[in-house]
Amino acid sequence: MRILVTGAAGFIGFCTSRALLDYGHEVTGLDNLNEYYDARLKHARLEQLSPRNAFRFVLADLVDRKATAELFSKLRPDRVVHLAAQPGVRHAIEHPHDYIDSNISGFLNVLEGCRRNDVKHLIFASTSAVYGSNTQMPFSVHHKADHPLSLYGATKRANELMAHTYAHLFKLPVTGLRLFTVYGPWGRPDMSPFLFIRKILKEEPIDLFNYGNHSRDFTYIDDTVEAIVRILDKIPQPNPHWNSDEPDPATSAAPYRIHNIGNSEPVSLLRFIECIEMAVGKKASKNTLPLQPGDVRDTFADVDDLMAAIDFKPATRIEDGVHEFVSWYRQYYGI
């Protein structure tokens, strides 16, 4: 198939593109290569993809309506995996317009491209941050998610609503994936797993917000990618049992689905750090701080629907995933 992957130089976009190429698909990767974090890592990821004959890279910004429309019209992809976004919870507090531009305007341009070019399935990344102040655990796609605590989470929840509108109005099949703290080789340097490894290796103190009393449903990158690839061919159909008197947020009378992708096994932040310490061979120096604005205290994914849909659930043990992450980090940075 011809597949467009947005955010192809990003962590999940790169790993997904690589897997799709391995499966024999033709992949066009789009990215704007912004400098939200060190762009050298993005270029290094692309260097892994560029030699592949079935890969083509397009340097463009989805906010550019004309460029996006021209790409869709020329490529006419069979599937679109939309992973480009402005990420980060705390960054949104000081730079809110970045999120509206990339995550709202950019996503609208993707929806329009899909609508006007007969895309058979749009898969887009949402986030566990949409659950916000929800405390009913595990987080289920059948629960309401209308109280995000960060602008990032709010824009991703808006994406889900926008996608449903296009599914309803134009019969565009769309699947939203709520991703839970993805980590692993080639990860994002702004995320806590990457920061912890770097600081422990450099023997610098690490900041533990909420005094370390967080738990996260850490999800290994290979599991995340496997779920995305399997969902590509799981084109959503209207739910014949959908009841407008008791609306199910995860499905619809339109071709629309929402899935959680998480390990379904929350790990305390302190336990995660212990795993890094074991893999690195050094103890961490810790600096405990209060809960930060926009942070969710705990995450825990209910993946029953994912299992039913694709007969797969993430299951990589945190010890194994961290070991692979640390091994890659040492090799990449020559430590």
Side-chain angles (χ1 to χ4, degrees):
M1 294 187 293
R2 292 188 309 278
I3 302 174
L4 172 63
V5 178
T6 71
F11 172 33
I12 303 173
F14 157 67
C15 293
T16 300
S17 297
R18 184 175 57 184
L20 292 172
L21 291 167
D22 289 343
Y23 277 100
H25 297 297
E26 177 185 320
V27 177
T28 297
L30 177 146
D31 206 291
N32 66 0
L33 297 178
N34 69 27
E35 295 188 356
Y36 170 67
Y37 60 79
D38 189 353
R40 289 176 296 180
L41 182 57
K42 298 179 181 182
H43 286 285
R45 294 174 183 138
L46 288 177
E47 288 173 4
Q48 300 289 311
L49 298 175
S50 296
R52 307 285 291 268
N53 291 331
F55 180 77
R56 175 192 171 212
F57 176 65
V58 175
L59 177 61
D61 195 324
L62 291 172
V63 179
D64 186 333
R65 187 190 308 179
K66 181 179 178 181
T68 303
E70 288 177 352
L71 174 62
F72 270 89
S73 178
K74 182 177 180 180
L75 181 62
R76 296 189 66 83
D78 301 304
R79 305 281 193 275
V80 174
V81 183
H82 175 57
L83 301 171
Q86 175 58 58
V89 169
R90 298 185 192 103
H91 183 76
I93 294 172
E94 299 298 331
H95 304 278
H97 294 92
D98 293 352
Y99 293 77
I100 302 304
D101 292 343
S102 294
N103 300 0
I104 302 297
S105 297
F107 187 57
L108 176 60
N109 292 338
V110 169
L111 288 169
E112 278 291 290
C114 292
R115 165 200 173 188
R116 297 183 183 279
N117 293 278
D118 195 30
V119 170
K120 303 303 182 187
H121 192 189
L122 165 64
I123 299 95
F124 68 95
S126 186
T127 173
S128 61
V130 302
Y131 290 108
S133 59
N134 289 21
T135 55
Q136 184 179 355
M137 300 283 180
F139 291 151
S140 169
V141 291
H142 302 290
H143 298 163
K144 290 184 178 180
D146 296 329
H147 296 87
L149 299 177
S150 65
L151 183 62
Y152 168 64
T155 60
K156 285 300 188 177
R157 181 67 181 122
N159 286 174
E160 296 177 356
L161 301 176
M162 294 163 69
H164 180 266
T165 302
Y166 271 67
H168 169 73
L169 291 174
F170 309 115
K171 310 307 177 189
L172 171 66
V174 291
T175 300
L177 306 177
R178 293 175 179 170
L179 306 180
F180 282 68
T181 315
V182 184
Y183 75 101
W186 297 99
R188 267 178 36 209
D190 63 308
M191 292 186 68
S192 59
F194 207 108
L195 293 171
F196 291 163
I197 291 172
R198 184 173 68 210
K199 291 198 171 187
I200 292 172
L201 282 168
K202 290 184 175 181
E203 300 182 353
E204 297 175 355
I206 60 176
D207 291 336
L208 295 184
F209 297 109
N210 197 33
Y211 307 102
N213 297 317
H214 280 310
S215 66
R216 290 287 181 267
D217 207 334
F218 291 101
T219 312
Y220 191 59
I221 181 61
D222 290 0
D223 288 340
T224 302
V225 169
E226 178 67 19
I228 292 172
V229 170
R230 291 190 183 211
I231 285 170
L232 270 175
D233 285 327
K234 193 69 178 180
I235 299 177
Q237 303 296 321
N239 179 0
H241 306 295
W242 195 80
N243 182 353
S244 59
D245 290 331
E246 297 180 359
D248 174 11
T251 68
S252 174
Y256 172 86
R257 288 292 184 278
I258 295 291
H259 288 296
N260 287 333
I261 298 183
N263 229 47
S264 196
E265 188 175 334
V267 174
S268 73
L269 202 56
L270 294 176
R271 173 57 184 158
F272 187 77
I273 292 168
E274 285 178 0
C275 292
I276 297 175
E277 290 173 332
M278 288 188 291
V280 169
K282 292 185 178 182
K283 299 292 288 183
S285 173
K286 305 178 184 70
N287 180 31
T288 56
L289 297 167
L291 186 70
Q292 297 296 289
D295 273 2
V296 174
R297 291 178 184 272
D298 305 298
T299 64
F300 181 4
D302 179 334
V303 294
D304 287 350
D305 281 39
L306 183 72
M307 276 280 292
I310 62 172
D311 192 28
F312 175 79
K313 63 171 287 187
T316 298
R317 295 170 64 247
I318 195 72
E319 296 84 356
D320 298 332
V322 167
H323 175 79
E324 292 299 319
F325 191 9
V326 171
S327 295
W328 168 83
Y329 188 98
R330 286 186 182 277
Q331 181 181 24
Y332 180 79
Y333 288 102
I335 298 173

